[in-house]
Amino acid sequence: SAPSDEVGCLHLLVKHRESRRPASWRNDNITITKAEASEQLAAHRASIVADGADSADSLRRAFEALAAEVSDCSSARRGGDLGMFGRGQMQAAFENAAYALQVGELSQEVDSDSGLHIILRYAKS
């Protein structure tokens, strides 16, 4: 893929019992419903928006701090950072949402086979 069309994103994942793999570093048997996961994700998003209201930098710091604590993805240890990626590397729903964001923009809930995400885009190449 042409490196001129890559995006850099943080994400926070909340898995649920219908997720492709309902287990994570935080919990080896995830049993919450999709609706419960959606409620948790909405609360996480609201917390990030409140804590990160001052600037783009504070939004990113708030996102990274919470993702490190609560994200069901192994990227939690990097504050949710997925690094730079191009088209075709992520599930379509996730990719489409990531590419639709402006740099510094926080997504609404994104539903993929992995679970429910919020995404913060921080770069484009």
Side-chain angles (χ1 to χ4, degrees), residues 70 86 96 117 124:
V70 303
N96 292 339
H117 314 252
K124 64 171 184 261

Side-chain angles (χ1 to χ4, degrees), residues 6 14 24 26 30 37 45 74 82 86 88 93 101 104 108 110 117:
E6 289 190 330
V14 179
S24 77
R26 299 177 57 238
I30 293 170
R45 190 182 190 283
S74 60
L82 295 171
L101 293 169
Q108 299 296 326
V110 177
H117 314 252

Side-chain angles (χ1 to χ4, degrees), residues 92-113:
F94 188 93
E95 173 187 302
N96 292 339
Y99 275 84
L101 293 169
Q102 299 301 310
V103 172
E105 187 181 357
L106 180 62
S107 75
Q108 299 296 326
E109 177 183 295
V110 177
D111 186 354
S112 82
D113 292 344

